[in-house]
Amino acid sequence: MTWAFGFCHAPWRSKHLASYPSRKSFSYSNCQNKISRLVNGNLTWRERQATLHLCATQKSSTLLERVKFDRNGLIPVIAQQYDTQEVLMLAWMDREALLVTIKEGRVCYYSRSRNSLWRKGETSGQVQWLKDIYIDCDGDSVLLKVDQMGVACHTGRRSCFFNKLNGEDWEIVSPVETSPEVLYGRNSSALKNP
Amino acid sequence: MTWAFGFCHAPWRSKHLASYPSRKSFSYSNCQNKISRLVNGNLTWRERQATLHLCATQKSSTLLERVKFDRNGLIPVIAQQYDTQEVLMLAWMDREALLVTIKEGRVCYYSRSRNSLWRKGETSGQVQWLKDIYIDCDGDSVLLKVDQMGVACHTGRRSCFFNKLNGEDWEIVSPVETSPEVLYGRNSSALKNP
């Protein structure tokens, strides 16, 4: 896959994002001027980061025109292991999470319980590396092909879909592969899924 | 798979459902009495249908305790082809759609645009036969393993996820297998996805 903006190997860090200028100040010609200065080496490090970010944002606006977020600004996202085709989980993204995922090549969701970005694996190390992104015919749901490191589920199972209907009962059909205590430490008993 | 309530080979038809008594009139002991009469052959056909329906509903309440619908009474549902593992679509169910799907063994969604049950394939014939149902660790999303007849997408493609991100553009990567005109008739140009 060709990564959008070619940022796959130069991930943006959230601590940098905070220092970026407002998107309102962006214009395409302004961006072009800054690109010239960028190429000529006339920008400070911070200006360089901000310029790259703003240019990427401008392109992203076009890219995201096809993506329909709901009235809460969210879209449901399916994560599927790219080689085995196993469906790992369903989570949510906002506009920023989708852009971060595309830019970093590492999956970032939006946590509805925390009301914040949720870089998958930031605590547990169980990262999802992005392989491909699809949107559906209506543009209101996303399918990610990912390479899941370790386990996707906060219970320590490979997939979150481990409760299978058997007759009238939900039966657990997948084993715990990694203890939540190993993933999250001693306080894992109080852990909730983000 | 063992079908819940054993209704797989005796599907309930919507025209029958309309004549069922209100769920409010149901009690478990009442159900048990009716089961005795059912076994003894003392019920009319309509009473027989109503009794089976009410008993199934009572069991369903337990079954659905683990399923968390959102504040609109809906839950996102992934449909995956059971043998190839291809993800076909993401749609929504309400409580009734999930119960109908389990009872009939044929997938029924809830159409958010029509605000009504949407028996997949009722117009196009592109039915999804249910193989298995899973809920995720939080119980707030559903994964269906299905056998898709024909195509899943209203555009005539096998899967709804045919727009793949390539660089900065969404590229169509799957062919139309069946013309929408064949699926929906001459007015297919005005067709919207339910």
Side-chain angles (χ1 to χ4, degrees), chain B residues 35-139:
Chain B
I35 284 177
S36 302
R37 291 178 60 200
L38 186 72
V39 172
N40 295 329
N42 294 332
L43 292 180
T44 65
W45 179 87
R46 180 155 291 185
E47 285 175 323
R48 179 185 173 87
Q49 301 302 312
T51 300
L52 284 171
H53 173 71
L54 286 173
C55 295
T57 303
Q58 201 272 345
K59 289 179 181 175
S60 305
S61 300
T62 310
L63 184 154
L64 291 189
E65 279 175 4
R66 293 277 302 281
V67 184
K68 293 178 189 163
F69 297 89
D70 66 15
R71 60 184 173 185
N72 297 315
L74 301 177
I75 190 167
V77 179
I78 305 163
Q80 183 180 28
Q81 176 66 27
Y82 81 102
D83 46 6
T84 65
Q85 310 303 323
E86 183 179 21
V87 172
L88 300 169
M89 58 189 287
L90 185 146
W92 297 80
M93 285 185 179
D94 65 354
R95 183 185 174 92
E96 187 178 359
L98 183 53
L99 287 178
V100 167
T101 297
I102 293 170
K103 289 176 193 166
E104 296 190 357
R106 174 181 159 172
V107 179
C108 175
Y109 297 108
Y110 182 85
S111 166
R112 294 180 300 169
S113 57
R114 295 178 190 162
N115 284 325
S116 63
L117 289 189
W118 163 33
R119 283 179 161 78
K120 177 73 178 161
E122 65 187 344
T123 306
S124 65
Q126 314 295 289
V127 172
Q128 290 178 344
W129 296 108
L130 183 64
K131 291 286 185 179
D132 278 310
I133 301 187
Y134 298 78
I135 53 172
D136 74 355
C137 48
D138 298 321

Side-chain angles (χ1 to χ4, degrees), chain A residues 52-100:
Chain A
L52 284 170
H53 173 70
L54 286 173
C55 295
T57 303
Q58 201 273 345
K59 289 179 181 175
S60 305
S61 299
T62 310
L63 185 154
L64 292 189
E65 278 175 4
R66 293 277 303 280
V67 184
K68 294 178 189 163
F69 297 89
D70 67 15
R71 60 184 173 185
N72 297 314
L74 301 177
I75 190 168
V77 179
I78 305 162
Q80 183 180 28
Q81 176 65 28
Y82 81 102
D83 46 5
T84 65
Q85 310 302 322
E86 183 179 22
V87 172
L88 300 169
M89 58 188 287
L90 185 145
W92 297 80
M93 285 184 178
D94 65 353
R95 182 184 173 93
E96 187 178 0
L98 183 52
L99 287 178
V100 168

Side-chain angles (χ1 to χ4, degrees), chain A residues 1-5 59 62-67 70-72 76-78 80 84-87 89-90 92 98 102 112 132-143 145 153-155 159-170 172-173 193, chain B residues 1-5 59 62-67 70-72 76-78 80 84-87 89-90 92 98 102 112 132-143 145 153-155 159-170 172-173 193:
Chain A
M1 179 191 180
T2 305
W3 290 114
F5 326 128
K59 289 179 181 175
T62 310
L63 185 154
L64 292 189
E65 278 175 4
R66 293 277 303 280
V67 184
D70 67 15
R71 60 184 173 185
N72 297 314
V77 179
I78 305 162
Q80 183 180 28
T84 65
Q85 310 302 322
E86 183 179 22
V87 172
M89 58 188 287
L90 185 145
W92 297 80
L98 183 52
I102 293 170
R112 294 180 299 170
D132 279 310
I133 301 187
Y134 298 78
I135 53 171
D136 74 355
C137 48
D138 298 321
D140 61 2
S141 58
V142 175
L143 172 64
K145 300 275 188 169
C153 186
H154 75 295
T155 64
S159 165
C160 291
F161 292 98
F162 57 82
N163 297 294
K164 179 180 176 182
L165 188 63
N166 187 358
E168 295 156 28
D169 298 312
W170 297 101
I172 294 177
V173 294
N193 197 13
Chain B
M1 178 192 180
T2 306
W3 290 113
F5 325 128
K59 289 179 181 175
T62 310
L63 184 154
L64 291 189
E65 279 175 4
R66 293 277 302 281
V67 184
D70 66 15
R71 60 184 173 185
N72 297 315
V77 179
I78 305 163
Q80 183 180 28
T84 65
Q85 310 303 323
E86 183 179 21
V87 172
M89 58 189 287
L90 185 146
W92 297 80
L98 183 53
I102 293 170
R112 294 180 300 169
D132 278 310
I133 301 187
Y134 298 78
I135 53 172
D136 74 355
C137 48
D138 298 321
D140 61 2
S141 58
V142 175
L143 172 64
K145 300 276 188 168
C153 186
H154 74 295
T155 64
S159 165
C160 292
F161 292 98
F162 57 83
N163 297 294
K164 179 180 176 182
L165 189 63
N166 187 358
E168 295 157 26
D169 299 312
W170 296 101
I172 294 177
V173 293
N193 196 13

